[in-house]
Amino acid sequence: MKQIEQIKEWGGYLNRYTHYANTCQCEMTFSVYLPPQAATQRVPALYWLSGLTCTDDNFRVKAGAQRYAADYGIALIIPDTSPRGDSVPDIPERYDQGKGAGFYVNATQTPWAENYQMDAYITRELPALVEEHLPLLPGIRSISGHSMGGHGALVCALRNPGMYRSVSAFAPICNPSLSPWGLACFSLYLGEERALWEQYDAVCLIKAGAQIPTEILVDQGTADEFLDAGQLLPENLKAACKLMELPLRLRMQEGYDHSYHFIGSFIGEHIAYHAQVLGLRR
């Protein structure tokens, strides 16, 4: 774990690191915001999973989350969205497959399986690494994300009961087995066995009985171009949660699109939600 950047913000530090990831068999880059409280004590962490085409840089630059993290004393862990490097397979002409589109699954298909193990990286290797080397409270963590990363946040929480204290998402791909993005990536990384797809689909996991200890918070803009295109399917998430009596707070935000303007408008409320569950006060 090598630190390659440090920037002081809101009394804390935005750091960037690289390390060799055994799960993904390549060098990975991630960012961490350590609030000022981390100078004297261990703090809980909020993991942020970004969307298609993003790296760790988008959220840390565009969302404005650090000021709220500093207020509450919560670290932000911001991984990349896929494996990287010259030896990592890619489809350069497709923004929604290959590099920048890891989809937070453990790939089973050749040639993707060697590197595209993002579920294992996010839920196993990265937490172990940062909790060993940074002033974080072991096991005290929450998760959030946007679009493909919103899908990832929901699925990581549903697949790993007790690993995250709370989960939220912005415009998540709720039912990727029925979404054009999900269909493309699932068939590429996982093959054609739909039972395997359902293990990475929030709606399918909920219908199969997966539980989350707290209410799921989801914000969705009504002017989101991908909502009308059938990529996100929040209505399916709402129906599944109602069927299984799983608490969901789905907020349809009038006039907001899919961009970081939308995320920046509500990220403070999401961090406040996670902070409350984690027992933090401003």
Side-chain angles (χ1 to χ4, degrees), residues 60-159:
R60 70 183 202 143
V61 171
K62 296 180 179 181
Q66 290 90 313
R67 63 178 297 180
Y68 304 106
D71 282 346
Y72 287 103
I74 186 169
L76 302 174
I77 314 297
I78 312 163
D80 203 347
T81 56
S82 77
R84 304 280 178 175
D86 294 340
S87 63
V88 173
D90 189 23
I91 305 178
E93 65 274 17
R94 292 291 298 266
Y95 78 92
D96 57 346
Q97 296 178 332
K99 293 178 186 177
F103 235 82
Y104 306 104
V105 304
N106 291 334
T108 61
Q109 301 299 297
T110 304
W112 310 97
E114 182 176 354
N115 303 109
Y116 284 74
Q117 300 293 310
M118 288 300 293
D119 175 71
Y121 178 70
I122 295 298
T123 62
R124 300 291 180 262
E125 186 169 5
L126 184 60
L129 182 72
V130 296
E131 289 181 6
E132 178 182 357
H133 293 287
L134 298 175
L136 304 177
L137 288 167
I140 310 301
R141 57 181 91 88
S142 294
I143 193 166
S144 185
H146 170 234
S147 193
M148 178 185 74
H151 141 77
L154 293 172
V155 167
C156 285
L158 288 163
R159 282 169 55 89

Side-chain angles (χ1 to χ4, degrees), residues 203 206-207 216 234-249:
V203 169
I206 290 168
K207 287 182 176 179
I216 302 170
E235 64 276 13
N236 294 5
L237 179 67
K238 182 178 180 180
C241 288
K242 183 178 180 180
L243 175 67
M244 302 305 293
E245 299 182 344
L246 191 66
L248 168 69
R249 188 178 359 154

Side-chain angles (χ1 to χ4, degrees), residues 180 220-235 252 256 258:
Q220 173 62 62
T222 63
D224 188 325
E225 62 271 34
F226 300 112
L227 180 64
D228 291 339
Q231 296 281 18
L232 307 176
L233 304 173
E235 64 276 13
M252 301 300 294
Y256 284 91
H258 198 72

Side-chain angles (χ1 to χ4, degrees), residues 188-268:
L188 187 71
Y189 300 145
L190 303 175
E192 298 305 324
E193 188 177 346
R194 287 185 171 260
L196 184 55
W197 297 13
E198 293 176 0
Q199 296 178 25
Y200 295 102
D201 186 311
V203 169
C204 296
L205 287 167
I206 290 168
K207 287 182 176 179
Q211 293 290 316
I212 291 177
T214 54
E215 178 183 59
I216 302 170
L217 173 61
V218 173
D219 275 324
Q220 173 62 62
T222 63
D224 188 325
E225 62 271 34
F226 300 112
L227 180 64
D228 291 339
Q231 296 281 18
L232 307 176
L233 304 173
E235 64 276 13
N236 294 5
L237 179 67
K238 182 178 180 180
C241 288
K242 183 178 180 180
L243 175 67
M244 302 305 293
E245 299 182 344
L246 191 66
L248 168 69
R249 188 178 359 154
L250 173 60
R251 308 191 304 185
M252 301 300 294
Q253 303 290 4
E254 185 65 33
Y256 284 91
D257 61 17
H258 198 72
S259 73
Y260 268 85
H261 299 288
F262 167 50
I263 297 169
S265 298
F266 298 101
I267 191 63

